[in-house]
Amino acid sequence: MRFPSTRIVSMNVKFTGIAIAAAIAAVLALVYWPAPDGGAPEPVAVAASAPAGRSLASYLNIDATPAADAAPVAVTLARRLERLGASGKPEDAYAAFNLIDDCIVFQRESRLPGLEFELGREMTAEEKAAQQQLCGGLTQRQREDRLGYLATAAKAGVPGAATLFLSEGPFGDRSALRNRPDDPLVQAWKRQAIGQLTAQADEAELTSVSTLMMAYLRDGEVVQKDAPQAYGYLLALRQVYDDILAPGVTNPYQDEYWHWLQAELTPEQQAAASARAQAIVVKWRQHAGRPAHG
């Protein structure tokens, strides 16, 4: 079963700004992995604003060729996927995954929850008609190519892709984690999924940091509980959000909500978690062009 929140995260490729990606990741993680028993906080909603002026019409007509005194003609889904695939860019592979995924969701729900989240409203009849026109030619082959595009993006470190790779489960089948946990292919997929997330978290990709923090909070189908790991990622998010959030805005990762996690660690484990977090924060400040200390 696909959770609606995974669709929100997959819209990262269409958002701008690392703060937006991080905020959406926090919401995903709090929904996707149940909190550990005994004292875990309620999910904390993090506000995120989308860029203004986006419309589904412009989204569909990106590659359109205008004719004189005529409305632009939307390019077919097949043609758009062909152009994205031909570029060889991992960001375009992620865009191709999103195009196909949007069509699958739209054909099932007659709406795009991720787009509506971004716009802050429901889709209009015109927008739905345009999406239907784009997705009407969706083929089984394109559906089968979807996870290949995502794997390419995740392997290359496209922000958000590693989290979605994890959420899809082994080869698109989350039930394999329960039904075939000892299958060598499933075990290899777990190592790949966590390895991709860890590499991206070490580079301060905040979606991956948030995903790993929540994954390590409890025993799960992919990783076992690791409180020191979780706390290190939590501290990194806390410091980054101190940089991101406006004065007076409550940091959702402060001790008021997470003191129970810190209490599980020895002083030595807390020190190691702090060092791991600091390394991530330094990377993030480098990427963001912020002072190393502040």
Side-chain angles (χ1 to χ4, degrees), residues 69-85:
D69 300 323
V73 178
V75 175
T76 65
L77 177 63
R79 181 56 175 155
R80 293 195 64 186
L81 291 173
E82 180 184 351
R83 291 181 179 180
L84 290 169

Side-chain angles (χ1 to χ4, degrees), residues 1 6 38 42 57 65 68-69 72 81 94 100 123 126 140 143 156 176 193 210 220 231 254 260 264-266 273:
M1 175 179 178
T6 64
E42 292 297 321
T65 302
D69 300 323
L81 291 173
Y94 194 33
I100 298 170
M123 295 174 69
E126 180 182 9
Q140 183 60 34
R143 289 172 179 265
S210 180
Y231 192 63
Q254 65 188 5
W260 56 272
E264 295 185 13
L265 275 59
T266 66

Side-chain angles (χ1 to χ4, degrees), residues 69-146:
D69 300 323
V73 178
V75 175
T76 65
L77 177 63
R79 181 56 175 155
R80 293 195 64 186
L81 291 173
E82 180 184 351
R83 291 181 179 180
L84 290 169
S87 79
K89 298 177 180 178
E91 295 82 4
D92 285 344
Y94 194 33
F97 163 80
N98 276 287
L99 275 174
I100 298 170
D101 210 44
D102 281 347
C103 283
I104 292 172
V105 171
F106 184 81
Q107 290 184 346
R108 183 176 65 240
E109 302 185 20
S110 297
R111 57 190 287 264
L112 291 177
L115 177 64
E116 292 178 347
F117 175 86
E118 181 182 350
L119 296 177
R121 61 169 175 79
E122 295 182 357
M123 295 174 69
T124 65
E126 180 182 9
E127 288 168 342
K128 289 183 178 182
Q131 186 70 22
Q132 181 59 52
Q133 178 184 2
L134 176 69
C135 299
L138 180 65
T139 67
Q140 183 60 34
R141 175 60 184 271
Q142 290 164 347
R143 289 172 179 265
E144 294 169 355
D145 289 343
R146 167 178 161 274

Side-chain angles (χ1 to χ4, degrees), residues 227-236 239 261-262 265-280:
Q229 287 263 46
Y231 192 63
Y233 290 127
L234 168 70
L235 290 178
Q239 293 181 59
L261 177 59
Q262 181 183 14
L265 275 59
T266 66
E268 294 75 16
Q269 288 174 326
Q270 291 183 34
S274 180
R276 182 184 186 93
Q278 190 56 39
I280 292 173

